[in-house]
């Protein structure tokens, strides 16, 4: 039901998105009511022909407790 409720908003946000763009769903739980909240947003590539970036890959460091 929650996903179906997002369909109209998703379709509107997706209209005209450039190639490589993403629609991101952000979910959070309201600590007071326990209600699940969802928010959609467009993530467009920085330059044409690239993919939108939603995170960065960084090298692993030493794990906690490694000496």
């Amino acid at each position: 039901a929650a996903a179906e409720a997002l369909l109209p908003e998703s379709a509107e946000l997706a209209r005209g998105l450039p190639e490589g763009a993403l629609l991101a769903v952000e979910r959070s739980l309201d600590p007071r009511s326990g209600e699940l909240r969802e928010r959609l947003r467009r993530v467009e590539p920085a330059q044409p022909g690239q993919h939108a970036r939603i995170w960065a890959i960084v090298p692993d460091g030493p794990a906690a407790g490694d000496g």
Side-chain angles (χ1 to χ4, degrees):
E4 286 179 348
L6 288 175
L7 286 175
E9 184 180 359
S10 300
E12 183 61 33
L13 285 170
R15 196 176 325 278
L17 274 178
E19 185 175 328
L22 301 171
L23 284 181
V25 179
E26 179 183 312
R27 292 188 175 106
S28 61
L29 191 60
D30 185 311
R32 292 182 184 171
S33 69
E35 179 182 342
L36 179 66
R37 296 191 178 167
E38 295 183 321
R39 181 176 77 99
L40 292 170
R41 64 185 180 103
R42 293 168 59 133
V43 183
E44 297 189 26
Q47 295 182 11
Q50 293 183 344
H51 291 282
R53 297 181 189 259
I54 57 172
W55 60 78
I57 299 174
V58 297
D60 284 343
D66 285 352

